[in-house]
Amino acid sequence: MCLGIPGQIVEITDEARLMAMADVSGVQREVSLAPVSDRPLADLVGEWVLIHVGFAMAVIDEHEAAETLEALRGLGEAQEALEAMEQGARAFDEPVRENAQ
């Protein structure tokens, strides 16, 4: 399964290599614009893109980006809850150890 994360292009970092800086929930990282370079790169600044393994795979609208980010946050919260439940279940499975003196 592939997972794309929405990010907003904030600047072109290397036009010759089709590279740009994207902001993904406050974290900036460099991504390749090669898959979406069907227009002048300067036109992509401010656009939202779906990023997968360092590549901007598709241009998406701001509404779709917001919905996707909210869904990903929800998945993260669900994962945290599952991990907490698993740790709680393990606590019941571990043998009780008394201090031997």
Side-chain angles (χ1 to χ4, degrees):
M1 174 169 89
C2 295
L3 180 63
I5 307 292
Q8 188 173 32
I9 303 301
V10 294
E11 71 174 298
I12 305 303
T13 57
D14 187 338
E15 193 164 350
R17 292 182 31 240
L18 305 174
M19 300 298 289
M21 191 62 64
D23 184 286
V24 179
S25 295
V27 177
Q28 292 192 356
R29 60 182 49 228
E30 197 170 40
V31 298
S32 172
L33 297 177
V36 295
S37 63
D38 58 345
R39 61 180 106 177
L41 296 185
D43 291 352
L44 291 169
V45 174
E47 292 284 344
W48 286 88
V49 294
L50 202 54
I51 300 168
H52 178 68
V53 295
F55 290 88
M57 301 305 291
V59 177
I60 59 175
D61 64 44
E62 187 174 359
H63 178 72
E64 184 178 355
E67 285 185 339
T68 302
L69 286 169
E70 186 60 33
L72 290 171
R73 280 188 203 97
L75 288 172
E77 290 171 8
Q79 181 64 34
E80 288 173 10
L82 288 172
E83 289 172 1
M85 288 170 42
E86 183 179 305
Q87 289 175 357
R90 271 194 234 138
F92 286 109
D93 293 339
E94 293 177 7
V96 175
R97 296 181 189 190
E98 296 185 26
N99 291 336
Q101 297 203 12

Coordinates of all heavy atoms in Angstrom, one line a residue:
M1 N 0.8 -1.2 0.0 CA 0.0 0.0 0.0 C 0.9 1.2 0.0 O 1.9 1.3 0.7 CB -0.9 0.0 1.2 CG -1.7 1.2 1.4 SD -2.9 1.1 2.7 CE -2.0 1.7 4.1
C2 N 0.5 2.2 -0.8 CA 1.2 3.5 -0.8 C 0.5 4.5 -0.1 O -0.7 4.6 -0.1 CB 1.4 3.9 -2.3 SG 2.4 2.8 -3.3
L3 N 1.2 5.4 0.6 CA 0.6 6.4 1.4 C 1.2 7.7 1.0 O 2.4 7.9 1.0 CB 0.9 6.2 2.9 CG 0.3 7.2 3.9 CD1 -1.2 7.2 3.8 CD2 0.7 6.9 5.3
G4 N 0.3 8.6 0.5 CA 0.8 10.0 0.1 C 0.4 11.0 1.2 O -0.7 10.9 1.8
I5 N 1.3 11.9 1.5 CA 1.1 12.9 2.5 C 0.9 14.3 1.9 O 1.8 14.6 1.1 CB 2.2 12.9 3.5 CG1 2.6 11.6 4.1 CG2 2.0 14.0 4.6 CD1 1.5 11.0 5.0
P6 N -0.1 15.0 2.2 CA -0.2 16.4 1.6 C 0.8 17.3 2.1 O 1.1 17.3 3.3 CB -1.6 16.8 2.0 CG -2.4 15.6 2.4 CD -1.3 14.7 2.9
G7 N 1.4 18.1 1.2 CA 2.3 19.1 1.6 C 2.2 20.3 0.7 O 1.7 20.2 -0.5
Q8 N 2.5 21.5 1.1 CA 2.4 22.7 0.3 C 3.8 23.1 -0.2 O 4.7 23.2 0.6 CB 1.8 23.8 1.1 CG 1.4 25.0 0.3 CD 0.6 26.0 1.1 OE1 0.8 26.2 2.3 NE2 -0.2 26.8 0.4
I9 N 3.9 23.4 -1.4 CA 5.2 23.8 -2.0 C 5.4 25.3 -1.6 O 4.6 26.1 -1.8 CB 5.2 23.7 -3.6 CG1 4.9 22.3 -4.0 CG2 6.5 24.3 -4.1 CD1 5.9 21.3 -3.5
V10 N 6.6 25.5 -0.9 CA 6.9 26.8 -0.4 C 8.0 27.6 -1.2 O 8.0 28.8 -1.2 CB 7.2 26.8 1.1 CG1 6.0 26.4 1.9 CG2 8.4 25.9 1.4
E11 N 8.8 26.8 -1.9 CA 9.8 27.5 -2.7 C 10.5 26.4 -3.7 O 10.5 25.2 -3.4 CB 10.9 28.1 -1.9 CG 11.9 27.2 -1.2 CD 13.0 27.9 -0.5 OE1 13.8 28.5 -1.1 OE2 13.1 27.8 0.7
I12 N 11.0 26.9 -4.8 CA 11.7 26.1 -5.7 C 13.2 26.2 -5.2 O 13.7 27.3 -5.1 CB 11.6 26.6 -7.2 CG1 10.1 26.7 -7.6 CG2 12.4 25.7 -8.1 CD1 9.3 25.4 -7.5
T13 N 13.8 25.0 -5.0 CA 15.2 25.0 -4.5 C 16.2 24.8 -5.6 O 17.3 25.2 -5.5 CB 15.3 24.0 -3.4 OG1 15.0 22.7 -3.9 CG2 14.5 24.3 -2.2
D14 N 15.8 24.0 -6.6 CA 16.8 23.7 -7.7 C 16.0 23.5 -9.0 O 15.5 22.3 -9.2 CB 17.6 22.5 -7.4 CG 18.8 22.3 -8.4 OD1 18.6 22.7 -9.5 OD2 19.7 21.6 -8.0
E15 N 15.8 24.5 -9.7 CA 14.9 24.4 -10.9 C 15.5 23.4 -11.9 O 14.7 22.6 -12.5 CB 14.8 25.8 -11.6 CG 13.7 25.8 -12.6 CD 13.2 27.2 -13.0 OE1 13.6 28.1 -12.4 OE2 12.5 27.2 -14.0
A16 N 16.8 23.3 -12.1 CA 17.4 22.4 -13.1 C 17.1 20.9 -12.7 O 16.9 20.1 -13.6 CB 18.9 22.6 -13.1
R17 N 17.1 20.6 -11.4 CA 16.8 19.3 -10.9 C 15.3 19.0 -10.6 O 15.0 18.0 -10.1 CB 17.7 18.9 -9.7 CG 19.2 18.9 -10.0 CD 20.1 18.5 -8.8 NE 19.4 17.6 -7.9 CZ 19.3 17.9 -6.6 NH1 19.7 19.1 -6.1 NH2 18.7 17.1 -5.7
L18 N 14.5 20.1 -10.8 CA 13.1 20.0 -10.5 C 12.8 19.7 -9.0 O 11.9 19.0 -8.7 CB 12.4 18.9 -11.4 CG 12.5 19.0 -12.9 CD1 11.9 17.8 -13.6 CD2 12.0 20.3 -13.4
M19 N 13.5 20.4 -8.2 CA 13.4 20.2 -6.7 C 12.8 21.4 -6.1 O 13.0 22.6 -6.5 CB 14.8 19.9 -6.1 CG 15.5 18.7 -6.6 SD 14.6 17.1 -6.3 CE 14.8 17.0 -4.5
A20 N 12.0 21.2 -5.0 CA 11.3 22.2 -4.3 C 11.3 21.9 -2.8 O 11.4 20.7 -2.4 CB 9.9 22.4 -4.8
M21 N 11.0 22.9 -2.0 CA 10.8 22.7 -0.6 C 9.3 22.6 -0.3 O 8.5 23.5 -0.8 CB 11.4 23.9 0.2 CG 11.5 23.6 1.7 SD 12.5 22.2 2.2 CE 14.2 22.8 1.6
A22 N 8.9 21.6 0.4 CA 7.5 21.4 0.7 C 7.3 21.5 2.2 O 8.2 21.0 3.0 CB 6.9 20.1 0.2
D23 N 6.2 22.1 2.7 CA 5.9 22.1 4.1 C 4.8 21.1 4.3 O 3.7 21.1 3.8 CB 5.3 23.5 4.5 CG 5.1 23.6 5.9 OD1 4.1 23.0 6.4 OD2 5.8 24.3 6.6
V24 N 5.2 20.1 5.2 CA 4.3 19.0 5.6 C 4.0 19.1 7.1 O 4.8 18.8 7.9 CB 4.9 17.6 5.2 CG1 3.9 16.5 5.6 CG2 5.3 17.5 3.8
S25 N 2.8 19.7 7.4 CA 2.4 19.9 8.8 C 3.5 20.6 9.6 O 3.8 20.2 10.7 CB 2.0 18.5 9.4 OG 0.9 18.0 8.8
G26 N 4.1 21.6 9.1 CA 5.1 22.4 9.8 C 6.5 21.9 9.6 O 7.5 22.5 10.1
V27 N 6.7 20.8 9.0 CA 8.1 20.2 8.7 C 8.4 20.4 7.3 O 7.6 20.0 6.4 CB 8.1 18.7 9.1 CG1 9.5 18.2 8.8 CG2 7.8 18.5 10.5
Q28 N 9.5 21.0 7.0 CA 9.9 21.3 5.6 C 10.9 20.2 5.1 O 11.8 19.9 5.9 CB 10.5 22.7 5.4 CG 9.4 23.7 5.7 CD 9.9 25.1 5.2 OE1 11.0 25.3 4.8 NE2 8.9 26.1 5.3
R29 N 10.7 19.8 3.9 CA 11.6 18.8 3.3 C 11.6 19.0 1.8 O 10.6 19.5 1.2 CB 11.2 17.4 3.7 CG 9.9 16.9 3.2 CD 9.6 15.5 3.7 NE 9.9 15.3 5.1 CZ 10.6 14.3 5.6 NH1 11.0 13.3 4.8 NH2 10.8 14.2 6.8
E30 N 12.7 18.7 1.2 CA 12.9 18.8 -0.2 C 12.2 17.7 -0.9 O 12.4 16.5 -0.5 CB 14.4 18.9 -0.6 CG 14.6 19.5 -2.0 CD 16.0 19.8 -2.2 OE1 16.9 19.1 -1.8 OE2 16.3 20.9 -2.8
V31 N 11.5 18.0 -2.0 CA 10.8 17.0 -2.8 C 11.1 17.2 -4.3 O 11.4 18.3 -4.7 CB 9.3 16.9 -2.6 CG1 9.0 16.6 -1.1 CG2 8.6 18.2 -3.0
S32 N 10.9 16.1 -5.1 CA 11.1 16.2 -6.5 C 9.7 16.6 -7.1 O 8.7 16.0 -6.8 CB 11.5 14.9 -7.1 OG 11.5 15.0 -8.5
L33 N 9.7 17.6 -8.0 CA 8.5 18.0 -8.7 C 8.4 17.3 -10.1 O 7.5 17.6 -10.8 CB 8.5 19.5 -8.9 CG 8.4 20.3 -7.6 CD1 8.5 21.8 -7.9 CD2 7.2 20.0 -6.8
A34 N 9.3 16.4 -10.4 CA 9.4 15.8 -11.7 C 8.0 15.2 -12.2 O 7.6 15.5 -13.3 CB 10.4 14.7 -11.8
P35 N 7.3 14.5 -11.3 CA 6.0 14.0 -11.7 C 4.9 15.0 -12.0 O 3.9 14.7 -12.7 CB 5.5 13.1 -10.6 CG 6.8 12.7 -9.8 CD 7.7 14.0 -10.0
V36 N 5.1 16.2 -11.5 CA 4.0 17.3 -11.7 C 4.6 18.5 -12.5 O 4.0 19.6 -12.4 CB 3.4 17.7 -10.3 CG1 2.7 16.6 -9.7 CG2 4.5 18.3 -9.4
S37 N 5.7 18.3 -13.2 CA 6.4 19.4 -13.9 C 5.8 19.7 -15.2 O 6.5 20.1 -16.1 CB 7.9 19.1 -14.0 OG 8.1 18.0 -14.8
D38 N 4.5 19.6 -15.4 CA 3.8 19.9 -16.7 C 3.5 21.3 -16.8 O 2.8 21.7 -17.8 CB 2.6 19.0 -16.8 CG 1.6 19.3 -15.7 OD1 1.9 19.9 -14.7 OD2 0.4 18.8 -15.8
R39 N 4.0 22.2 -15.9 CA 3.8 23.6 -16.0 C 5.0 24.3 -15.4 O 5.9 23.6 -14.9 CB 2.6 24.0 -15.2 CG 2.7 23.6 -13.7 CD 1.5 24.0 -12.9 NE 0.7 22.8 -12.6 CZ -0.4 22.8 -11.8 NH1 -0.8 24.0 -11.4 NH2 -1.0 21.7 -11.6
P40 N 5.2 25.6 -15.6 CA 6.3 26.2 -15.0 C 6.4 26.0 -13.5 O 5.4 26.1 -12.8 CB 6.1 27.7 -15.3 CG 5.2 27.7 -16.5 CD 4.3 26.5 -16.3
L41 N 7.6 25.7 -13.0 CA 7.7 25.3 -11.6 C 7.3 26.4 -10.7 O 6.7 26.2 -9.6 CB 9.2 24.9 -11.3 CG 9.7 23.7 -12.0 CD1 11.1 23.3 -11.5 CD2 8.8 22.5 -11.8
A42 N 7.6 27.7 -11.1 CA 7.2 28.8 -10.3 C 5.7 28.8 -10.0 O 5.2 29.3 -8.9 CB 7.6 30.1 -10.9
D43 N 4.9 28.3 -10.9 CA 3.4 28.2 -10.8 C 3.0 27.2 -9.7 O 1.9 27.2 -9.2 CB 2.7 27.8 -12.1 CG 2.8 28.9 -13.1 OD1 3.3 30.0 -12.8 OD2 2.5 28.6 -14.3
L44 N 3.9 26.3 -9.3 CA 3.6 25.3 -8.2 C 3.8 25.9 -6.8 O 3.3 25.3 -5.9 CB 4.5 24.1 -8.4 CG 4.1 23.3 -9.7 CD1 5.2 22.2 -9.9 CD2 2.7 22.6 -9.5
V45 N 4.5 27.0 -6.6 CA 4.7 27.6 -5.3 C 3.3 28.0 -4.8 O 2.6 28.7 -5.4 CB 5.7 28.8 -5.4 CG1 5.8 29.4 -4.0 CG2 7.1 28.3 -5.8
G46 N 3.1 27.5 -3.6 CA 1.8 27.7 -2.9 C 0.7 26.6 -3.2 O -0.3 26.5 -2.5
E47 N 1.0 25.7 -4.1 CA 0.1 24.6 -4.4 C 0.3 23.5 -3.4 O 1.4 23.3 -2.9 CB 0.4 24.1 -5.9 CG 0.0 25.0 -7.0 CD -1.5 25.1 -7.2 OE1 -2.2 24.2 -6.7 OE2 -1.9 26.1 -7.9
W48 N -0.8 22.7 -3.2 CA -0.7 21.5 -2.4 C -0.5 20.3 -3.3 O -1.0 20.2 -4.4 CB -2.1 21.3 -1.7 CG -2.2 22.3 -0.6 CD1 -2.7 23.6 -0.6 CD2 -1.8 22.1 0.8 NE1 -2.7 24.2 0.6 CE2 -2.1 23.3 1.5 CE3 -1.2 21.0 1.5 CZ2 -1.9 23.4 2.9 CZ3 -1.0 21.2 2.8 CH2 -1.3 22.4 3.5
V49 N 0.4 19.4 -2.9 CA 0.7 18.2 -3.6 C 0.6 17.0 -2.7 O 0.7 17.1 -1.5 CB 2.1 18.3 -4.2 CG1 2.2 19.4 -5.3 CG2 3.2 18.5 -3.2
L50 N 0.4 15.9 -3.3 CA 0.5 14.6 -2.6 C 1.9 14.1 -2.7 O 2.3 13.8 -3.8 CB -0.6 13.7 -3.2 CG -1.1 12.6 -2.3 CD1 -1.6 13.1 -1.0 CD2 -2.2 11.8 -3.0
I51 N 2.6 13.9 -1.6 CA 4.0 13.5 -1.6 C 4.1 12.0 -1.1 O 3.5 11.6 -0.1 CB 4.8 14.4 -0.6 CG1 4.7 15.9 -1.0 CG2 6.3 14.0 -0.5 CD1 5.2 16.9 0.0
H52 N 4.9 11.3 -1.9 CA 5.2 9.9 -1.6 C 6.7 9.7 -1.9 O 7.1 10.0 -3.0 CB 4.3 9.0 -2.4 CG 4.6 7.5 -2.2 ND1 4.3 6.9 -1.0 CD2 5.2 6.6 -3.0 CE1 4.7 5.6 -1.1 NE2 5.2 5.4 -2.3
V53 N 7.4 9.2 -0.9 CA 8.8 8.9 -0.9 C 9.6 10.0 -1.6 O 10.5 9.7 -2.4 CB 9.1 7.5 -1.5 CG1 8.6 6.4 -0.7 CG2 8.6 7.3 -3.0
G54 N 9.3 11.2 -1.3 CA 10.1 12.3 -1.8 C 9.7 12.9 -3.1 O 10.4 13.7 -3.7
F55 N 8.6 12.4 -3.7 CA 8.1 12.9 -5.0 C 6.8 13.5 -4.8 O 5.9 12.9 -4.1 CB 8.1 11.7 -6.0 CG 9.4 11.2 -6.4 CD1 10.0 10.2 -5.7 CD2 10.0 11.8 -7.5 CE1 11.3 9.8 -6.1 CE2 11.3 11.3 -7.9 CZ 11.9 10.3 -7.2
A56 N 6.5 14.6 -5.4 CA 5.2 15.2 -5.5 C 4.5 14.5 -6.6 O 4.7 14.7 -7.8 CB 5.3 16.7 -5.8
M57 N 3.6 13.6 -6.2 CA 2.9 12.7 -7.2 C 1.7 13.3 -7.9 O 1.4 12.9 -9.0 CB 2.5 11.4 -6.5 CG 3.6 10.7 -5.8 SD 5.0 10.3 -6.9 CE 4.2 9.1 -8.0
A58 N 1.0 14.3 -7.2 CA -0.1 14.9 -7.8 C -0.4 16.2 -7.2 O -0.1 16.4 -6.0 CB -1.3 14.0 -7.7
V59 N -0.9 17.2 -7.9 CA -1.4 18.4 -7.4 C -2.8 18.2 -6.9 O -3.6 17.6 -7.6 CB -1.3 19.6 -8.4 CG1 -1.9 20.9 -7.9 CG2 0.1 19.8 -8.9
I60 N -3.1 18.6 -5.6 CA -4.4 18.5 -5.1 C -4.9 19.9 -4.6 O -4.1 20.8 -4.4 CB -4.4 17.5 -3.9 CG1 -3.5 17.9 -2.8 CG2 -4.1 16.1 -4.5 CD1 -3.5 17.0 -1.6
D61 N -6.2 20.0 -4.4 CA -6.7 21.3 -3.9 C -6.6 21.4 -2.4 O -6.4 20.3 -1.7 CB -8.1 21.6 -4.4 CG -9.1 20.6 -3.9 OD1 -9.1 20.3 -2.7 OD2 -10.0 20.2 -4.7
E62 N -6.7 22.6 -1.9 CA -6.5 22.8 -0.4 C -7.5 22.0 0.4 O -7.2 21.5 1.5 CB -6.6 24.3 -0.1 CG -6.2 24.6 1.3 CD -6.2 26.2 1.5 OE1 -6.4 26.9 0.6 OE2 -5.9 26.5 2.7
H63 N -8.7 21.9 0.0 CA -9.8 21.2 0.7 C -9.4 19.7 0.8 O -9.5 19.1 1.9 CB -11.1 21.4 0.0 CG -12.2 20.6 0.6 ND1 -12.8 21.0 1.9 CD2 -12.9 19.5 0.3 CE1 -13.7 20.2 2.2 NE2 -13.8 19.2 1.3
E64 N -9.0 19.1 -0.3 CA -8.6 17.7 -0.3 C -7.4 17.5 0.6 O -7.3 16.5 1.4 CB -8.2 17.2 -1.7 CG -7.9 15.7 -1.8 CD -7.6 15.3 -3.2 OE1 -7.8 16.0 -4.1 OE2 -7.2 14.1 -3.3
A65 N -6.4 18.4 0.6 CA -5.3 18.3 1.5 C -5.7 18.4 3.0 O -5.2 17.5 3.8 CB -4.3 19.5 1.2
A66 N -6.6 19.3 3.3 CA -7.1 19.4 4.7 C -7.8 18.1 5.1 O -7.6 17.6 6.3 CB -8.0 20.6 4.9
E67 N -8.6 17.6 4.3 CA -9.4 16.3 4.6 C -8.4 15.2 4.8 O -8.6 14.4 5.7 CB -10.4 16.0 3.5 CG -11.6 16.9 3.6 CD -12.7 16.5 2.6 OE1 -12.3 15.8 1.6 OE2 -13.8 16.8 2.8
T68 N -7.4 15.1 3.9 CA -6.4 14.0 4.0 C -5.6 14.1 5.3 O -5.4 13.1 6.0 CB -5.5 14.0 2.8 OG1 -6.4 13.8 1.6 CG2 -4.5 12.8 2.9
L69 N -5.2 15.3 5.6 CA -4.4 15.5 6.9 C -5.2 15.2 8.1 O -4.7 14.6 9.0 CB -3.9 17.0 6.9 CG -2.7 17.3 6.0 CD1 -2.5 18.8 6.0 CD2 -1.5 16.5 6.4
E70 N -6.5 15.5 8.1 CA -7.4 15.2 9.2 C -7.5 13.7 9.4 O -7.5 13.1 10.4 CB -8.7 15.9 9.1 CG -9.6 15.7 10.2 CD -9.1 16.3 11.5 OE1 -8.3 17.3 11.5 OE2 -9.3 15.7 12.6
A71 N -7.7 13.0 8.2 CA -7.9 11.5 8.3 C -6.6 10.9 8.8 O -6.6 10.0 9.6 CB -8.2 11.0 6.9
L72 N -5.4 11.4 8.4 CA -4.1 10.9 8.8 C -4.0 11.1 10.3 O -3.5 10.2 11.0 CB -3.0 11.5 8.1 CG -2.9 11.0 6.6 CD1 -1.8 11.8 5.9 CD2 -2.6 9.5 6.5
R73 N -4.4 12.3 10.8 CA -4.3 12.5 12.3 C -5.2 11.5 13.0 O -4.8 11.0 14.0 CB -4.8 14.0 12.6 CG -3.7 15.0 12.3 CD -4.1 16.4 12.8 NE -3.4 17.4 12.1 CZ -3.8 18.0 11.0 NH1 -5.0 17.9 10.6 NH2 -3.0 18.9 10.5
G74 N -6.4 11.3 12.5 CA -7.3 10.3 13.1 C -6.7 8.9 13.1 O -6.8 8.2 14.1
L75 N -6.0 8.5 12.0 CA -5.4 7.2 12.0 C -4.3 7.1 13.0 O -4.1 6.1 13.7 CB -4.8 6.9 10.6 CG -5.8 6.6 9.5 CD1 -5.1 6.5 8.2 CD2 -6.5 5.3 9.8
G76 N -3.6 8.2 13.2 CA -2.5 8.3 14.2 C -3.0 8.1 15.6 O -2.5 7.4 16.4
E77 N -4.2 8.8 15.9 CA -4.8 8.7 17.2 C -5.3 7.3 17.4 O -5.2 6.7 18.5 CB -5.9 9.7 17.3 CG -5.4 11.1 17.4 CD -6.5 12.2 17.3 OE1 -7.7 11.8 17.3 OE2 -6.2 13.4 17.2
A78 N -5.9 6.7 16.4 CA -6.4 5.3 16.5 C -5.2 4.3 16.8 O -5.3 3.4 17.6 CB -7.1 4.9 15.3
Q79 N -4.1 4.5 16.1 CA -2.9 3.7 16.3 C -2.4 3.8 17.7 O -2.0 2.8 18.4 CB -1.8 4.1 15.3 CG -0.6 3.2 15.4 CD -0.8 1.7 15.1 OE1 -1.6 1.4 14.2 NE2 -0.1 0.9 15.8
E80 N -2.4 5.1 18.2 CA -1.9 5.3 19.6 C -2.8 4.5 20.6 O -2.4 3.9 21.6 CB -1.9 6.8 19.9 CG -0.7 7.5 19.2 CD -0.8 9.0 19.4 OE1 -1.6 9.5 20.3 OE2 -0.1 9.7 18.8
A81 N -4.1 4.6 20.4 CA -5.1 3.9 21.3 C -4.9 2.4 21.2 O -4.9 1.7 22.3 CB -6.5 4.3 20.9
L82 N -4.7 1.9 20.0 CA -4.4 0.4 19.9 C -3.2 0.0 20.6 O -3.1 -1.0 21.3 CB -4.4 0.0 18.4 CG -5.7 0.0 17.7 CD1 -5.4 -0.2 16.2 CD2 -6.6 -1.0 18.2
E83 N -2.1 0.8 20.5 CA -0.9 0.5 21.2 C -1.0 0.5 22.7 O -0.5 -0.3 23.4 CB 0.2 1.4 20.7 CG 0.7 1.2 19.3 CD 1.6 2.2 18.7 OE1 2.0 3.2 19.4 OE2 2.0 2.1 17.5
A84 N -1.8 1.5 23.2 CA -2.0 1.6 24.6 C -2.8 0.4 25.1 O -2.5 -0.1 26.2 CB -2.7 2.9 24.9
M85 N -3.8 0.0 24.3 CA -4.6 -1.2 24.7 C -3.7 -2.4 24.7 O -3.8 -3.3 25.6 CB -5.8 -1.4 23.7 CG -6.8 -0.3 23.9 SD -8.1 -0.3 22.6 CE -8.5 -2.0 22.3
E86 N -2.8 -2.5 23.7 CA -1.9 -3.7 23.7 C -1.0 -3.7 24.9 O -0.7 -4.8 25.5 CB -1.1 -3.7 22.4 CG -0.2 -4.9 22.2 CD 0.5 -4.8 20.8 OE1 -0.1 -4.7 19.8 OE2 1.8 -4.9 20.9
Q87 N -0.4 -2.6 25.2 CA 0.5 -2.5 26.4 C -0.3 -2.8 27.7 O 0.2 -3.5 28.5 CB 1.1 -1.1 26.5 CG 2.1 -0.8 25.4 CD 2.6 0.6 25.5 OE1 2.2 1.4 26.3 NE2 3.6 0.9 24.6
G88 N -1.5 -2.4 27.8 CA -2.4 -2.7 29.0 C -2.6 -4.2 29.0 O -2.6 -4.8 30.1
A89 N -2.9 -4.9 27.9 CA -3.1 -6.3 27.9 C -1.9 -7.1 28.3 O -1.9 -8.1 29.0 CB -3.6 -6.7 26.5
R90 N -0.7 -6.6 27.8 CA 0.5 -7.2 28.2 C 0.8 -7.2 29.7 O 1.3 -8.1 30.3 CB 1.7 -6.6 27.5 CG 2.0 -7.2 26.1 CD 3.3 -6.8 25.6 NE 3.1 -6.2 24.3 CZ 3.6 -5.1 23.8 NH1 4.5 -4.4 24.5 NH2 3.4 -4.7 22.6
A91 N 0.3 -6.1 30.3 CA 0.5 -6.0 31.8 C -0.2 -7.1 32.5 O 0.3 -7.6 33.5 CB 0.1 -4.6 32.2
F92 N -1.3 -7.5 32.0 CA -2.1 -8.6 32.6 C -1.4 -10.0 32.4 O -1.6 -10.9 33.1 CB -3.5 -8.6 32.1 CG -4.3 -7.5 32.7 CD1 -4.7 -6.5 31.9 CD2 -4.7 -7.5 34.1 CE1 -5.5 -5.4 32.4 CE2 -5.4 -6.5 34.6 CZ -5.8 -5.4 33.8
D93 N -0.7 -10.1 31.2 CA -0.1 -11.4 30.9 C 1.3 -11.6 31.6 O 1.7 -12.7 31.7 CB 0.2 -11.4 29.4 CG -1.1 -11.5 28.6 OD1 -2.2 -11.9 29.2 OD2 -1.1 -11.2 27.4
E94 N 1.9 -10.5 32.1 CA 3.2 -10.7 32.7 C 3.1 -11.2 34.1 O 2.1 -10.9 34.8 CB 3.9 -9.3 32.8 CG 4.3 -8.8 31.4 CD 4.9 -7.4 31.5 OE1 5.2 -6.9 32.6 OE2 5.1 -6.8 30.4
P95 N 3.9 -12.1 34.5 CA 3.9 -12.7 35.8 C 4.2 -11.7 36.9 O 4.9 -10.7 36.7 CB 4.9 -13.8 35.9 CG 5.9 -13.4 34.8 CD 5.1 -12.7 33.7
V96 N 3.5 -11.8 38.0 CA 3.8 -10.9 39.1 C 5.1 -11.3 39.8 O 5.3 -12.4 40.1 CB 2.6 -11.0 40.2 CG1 2.9 -10.1 41.4 CG2 1.3 -10.6 39.5
R97 N 6.0 -10.3 40.0 CA 7.3 -10.6 40.6 C 7.3 -9.9 41.9 O 7.1 -8.8 42.0 CB 8.4 -10.1 39.7 CG 8.4 -10.8 38.3 CD 9.5 -10.3 37.5 NE 9.3 -10.9 36.1 CZ 10.2 -10.8 35.2 NH1 11.3 -10.1 35.4 NH2 9.9 -11.3 34.0
E98 N 7.7 -10.7 42.9 CA 7.8 -10.1 44.2 C 9.3 -10.0 44.5 O 10.1 -10.7 44.0 CB 7.2 -11.1 45.3 CG 5.7 -11.2 45.1 CD 5.0 -12.0 46.1 OE1 5.6 -12.1 47.2 OE2 4.0 -12.6 45.9
N99 N 9.6 -9.0 45.3 CA 11.0 -8.7 45.7 C 11.5 -9.9 46.6 O 10.9 -10.1 47.6 CB 11.1 -7.4 46.4 CG 10.9 -6.2 45.5 OD1 11.0 -6.4 44.2 ND2 10.5 -5.1 46.0
A100 N 12.5 -10.5 46.2 CA 13.1 -11.6 47.0 C 14.3 -11.0 47.8 O 15.1 -10.4 47.2 CB 13.6 -12.7 46.2
Q101 N 14.2 -11.2 49.1 CA 15.3 -10.6 49.9 C 16.0 -11.6 50.7 O 15.7 -12.5 51.1 CB 14.7 -9.5 50.8 CG 14.2 -8.4 50.0 CD 14.1 -7.1 50.7 OE1 14.7 -6.9 51.8 NE2 13.5 -6.1 50.2

